[in-house]
Amino acid sequence: MRLRRSRSNSPSFDTGATARRRLFRRGTYSLFGEILDWMLAPLLFLWPISIIVTYDVASRIADQPYDKALGDQVRALAGQVHVLPSGSVRVDLPASALRVLRTDTEDTVYFQIVSPRGTLLAGDAEVPSLPQGTRLGSADIQYRDDAVQGEDIRVAYMPVFVDQATGTHVLVQVAETRHKRDALSSRIVSGVLLPQFAIIPLAVVLVWFGLSRGIAPLNRLQSMIRERRPGDLSPVAEDSVPEEVRPVVMAFNDMMARLEDNLHAQRRFIADAAHQMRTPIAGLKMQMELARQEAARFDAAPSVRRSIEQAEKGAERAARLINQLLALARAESSSEKVHVFERLDLNGLVREVLGDYVPIALARGIDLGAEMDDQPVWLEATPIMLFELVSNLVDNAVKYTPGGGAVTVSVTSMDDEGMAVLRVRDNGPGVPEEEREQIFERFYRVLGTGAEGSGLGLSIVREIAELHGGTVALGPNEDGIGTVVTVRLPLPVAQ
């Protein structure tokens, strides 16, 4: 066995909880987006309604001061209407009063004084008459909206009673267009709506911020579950989650408890199967050994000896297959109590495995070597599982490398991705590129190699690597002959 030491100056790391995260598949449904939609959609729906209501209110507010001025003008005109003792009506309109009515530069002002018989006494004939059915029971000023030549106007009117008993009256009306009113209402609407253009985006930001703070406990719960080890089935503390999420957490804990029971049953089955299978295989191997010794003692026929040797090899293969199946079952089990993660040195474990395979390699004339640093490469792993991973890689390499070949195991403390890298190189027949992914399937074997095996070795390697949060890849050797299996395992988080 050769031991080559590289000159890597990779830093060592302190032990700590290994950062292993399993990404959850994200669906198109988002609780955050759903709540945000239900909060903002009504806001966007109500905003146009608020614009309409604001415009209506602004029109009413704009009408108040101008209605007062219009009413004053009606009273002034009504003061110029005189009822004579004979019952006739006289209107005295001085030129100054007419100038006051005609001096508005923004709106057109109309006035009209109509006799009880409907005769125009003074003013403009364009002013519309009162609608049918309008009742004038008092001398108060009243207002209405109307139109003159297709233009909207505001009309103030009041009766000047000639005979209160009969209701005979002179109708005084003053009307003006709505230019000033519309301009004022537009300024009011602009003053109200323009701040909303700043308030609504600010409200959206505040709602988003409030929702983010509101669902922060859910994010913490998500992070807490993601950061668990793959096999950590302990319950989530129910007092650390909001009341609304507590039923979900309780159901999750109940599911974890049921899963724990199932895994306990699986662990008991593995232990019982290991005992029940290994015991008869060990007895069979012992009987084959005794038979071989007896055949040699009594000089049995060559055919008998060959049969005994084949039976011994079959027992060895059965024992190896059973061990691999049990190892695969342990690797697939996610129980934290089955896989106790400990601090271990990858270099020391590789040396231990190579020590077991040195006799086999020497017997086949294979140069078995290692490339690693003097400094340990610490990992958080299950010793039994990681030992099985390295053993399967070395066993495959030695098994498929022809006599006179070379197998090299190298360990790199940290690569560009912050992972410990274990590589096993051989110069065997290699694996065709189209079969490099299929080789990790159970019981799949490359044809034409001539080596015995069950096709479980690399399946076990992948299961154990994924159990530890790592990856495994298969590629060609650098010199073009043979295969390189690369396993990347996460290093502990530096304390």
Side-chain angles (χ1 to χ4, degrees):
M1 173 181 178
R2 42 195 175 82
L3 181 64
R4 296 191 291 273
R5 307 182 187 277
S6 64
R7 297 183 180 180
S8 173
N9 294 322
S10 300
S12 60
F13 290 84
D14 295 332
T15 60
T18 306
R20 300 182 185 90
R21 298 173 181 265
R22 291 179 180 264
L23 298 178
F24 297 139
R25 291 185 178 179
R26 294 183 179 179
T28 57
Y29 179 83
S30 169
L31 182 62
F32 181 87
E34 190 78 7
I35 297 175
L36 196 63
D37 288 344
W38 278 103
M39 293 185 69
L40 295 182
L43 180 63
L44 297 177
F45 174 75
L46 292 175
W47 190 37
I49 299 178
S50 71
I51 293 176
I52 297 173
V53 173
T54 301
Y55 185 80
D56 182 69
V57 172
S59 298
R60 295 176 184 273
I61 294 174
D63 281 342
Q64 292 177 2
Y66 294 111
D67 281 354
K68 186 177 182 302
L70 203 61
D72 292 340
Q73 293 176 355
V74 170
R75 287 191 184 93
L77 284 177
Q80 305 301 320
V81 177
H82 304 284
V83 180
L84 301 177
S86 61
S88 61
V89 178
R90 187 184 74 229
V91 179
D92 296 328
L93 287 178
S96 59
L98 294 176
R99 283 197 299 269
V100 170
L101 291 174
R102 304 300 188 185
T103 54
D104 196 325
T105 59
E106 295 185 46
D107 284 301
T108 302
V109 179
Y110 305 91
F111 75 95
Q112 186 183 76
I113 301 175
V114 181
S115 70
R117 296 181 180 180
T119 304
L120 179 65
L121 298 178
D124 305 303
E126 296 89 348
V127 179
S129 302
L130 287 178
Q132 292 291 334
T134 303
R135 305 180 69 178
L136 298 173
S138 65
D140 293 335
I141 299 176
Q142 300 181 52
Y143 301 90
R144 75 177 190 274
D145 292 317
D146 217 315
V148 172
Q149 297 177 354
E151 187 174 14
D152 292 335
I153 59 172
R154 181 71 169 171
V155 183
Y157 59 96
M158 67 176 292
V160 177
F161 287 97
V162 176
D163 186 351
Q164 188 73 34
T166 61
T168 305
H169 63 272
V170 174
L171 180 63
V172 180
Q173 298 189 102
V174 178
E176 68 175 358
T177 55
R178 302 188 60 93
H179 298 162
K180 294 193 298 291
R181 299 166 187 263
D182 292 343
L184 178 58
S185 63
S186 296
R187 288 197 297 271
I188 295 173
V189 171
S190 299
V192 173
L193 295 183
L194 285 178
Q196 291 186 11
F197 285 102
I199 291 174
I200 289 180
L202 180 61
V204 173
V205 173
L206 292 177
V207 168
W208 182 87
F209 178 76
L211 282 178
S212 299
R213 293 294 300 271
I215 66 172
L218 295 180
N219 294 331
R220 289 195 295 269
L221 177 63
Q222 181 190 49
S223 299
M224 181 171 59
I225 295 176
R226 279 186 176 182
E227 290 174 356
R228 287 187 168 200
R229 292 185 184 276
D232 186 0
L233 302 181
S234 60
V236 177
E238 297 176 6
D239 56 353
S240 64
V241 298
E243 184 68 28
E244 293 77 10
V245 188
R246 194 164 297 172
V248 178
V249 174
M250 293 174 63
F252 177 80
N253 289 339
D254 184 59
M255 182 185 69
M256 290 295 101
R258 295 195 302 270
L259 182 58
E260 180 96 13
D261 293 339
N262 292 336
L263 291 174
H264 278 310
Q266 181 180 356
R267 184 179 57 174
R268 288 193 298 269
F269 170 77
I270 292 173
D272 294 342
H275 176 74
Q276 296 296 329
M277 291 182 179
R278 285 171 178 167
T279 300
I281 291 296
L284 179 61
K285 290 172 64 178
M286 183 180 65
Q287 294 298 326
M288 290 296 101
E289 176 68 20
L290 292 175
R292 184 172 58 81
Q293 293 176 2
E294 289 298 320
R297 177 180 175 185
F298 292 101
D299 195 17
S303 60
V304 175
R305 294 183 181 182
R306 282 194 300 272
S307 298
I308 294 175
E309 289 176 0
Q310 291 297 325
E312 280 188 304
K313 290 181 180 179
E316 288 290 343
R317 286 194 300 270
R320 176 62 178 168
L321 178 60
I322 290 172
N323 288 332
Q324 286 185 320
L325 289 173
L326 292 175
L328 186 60
R330 285 196 301 267
E332 290 178 338
S333 172
S334 59
S335 174
E336 191 73 10
K337 296 179 180 179
V338 174
H339 305 303
V340 179
F341 285 78
E342 300 176 3
R343 183 193 185 199
L344 58 85
D345 174 23
L346 181 59
N347 286 341
L349 187 141
V350 170
R351 292 189 186 98
E352 183 180 353
V353 172
L354 292 180
D356 293 341
Y357 279 89
V358 166
I360 300 175
L362 291 176
R364 298 193 57 191
I366 295 174
D367 183 11
L368 181 61
E371 294 178 350
M372 61 187 70
D373 296 334
D374 291 332
Q375 295 181 349
V377 177
W378 297 109
L379 297 177
E380 289 283 338
T382 303
I384 297 177
M385 291 289 96
L386 205 58
F387 186 91
E388 189 72 24
L389 180 147
V390 180
S391 296
N392 275 279
L393 290 178
V394 176
D395 182 76
N396 271 4
V398 171
K399 182 185 300 181
Y400 289 98
T401 300
V407 175
T408 303
V409 182
S410 64
V411 177
T412 304
S413 59
M414 184 171 65
D415 65 354
D416 296 336
E417 299 178 0
M419 309 276 278
V421 181
L422 169 68
R423 288 188 177 89
V424 179
R425 299 183 181 88
D426 64 64
N427 53 5
V431 178
E433 184 176 357
E434 61 274 10
E435 298 186 50
R436 286 174 189 166
E437 186 60 31
Q438 295 174 296
I439 200 70
F440 291 101
E441 297 177 4
R442 298 175 187 178
F443 304 107
Y444 184 87
R445 300 185 63 220
V446 178
L447 299 177
T449 59
E452 297 179 353
S454 60
L456 285 175
L458 290 179
S459 299
I460 296 173
V461 170
R462 171 171 280 185
E463 290 287 346
I464 296 175
E466 292 179 352
L467 172 67
H468 290 81
T471 61
V472 57
L474 192 69
N477 204 340
E478 289 84 350
D479 56 9
I481 301 175
T483 304
V484 177
V485 181
T486 303
V487 179
R488 288 183 170 83
L489 299 171
L491 292 166
V493 178
Q495 296 295 318

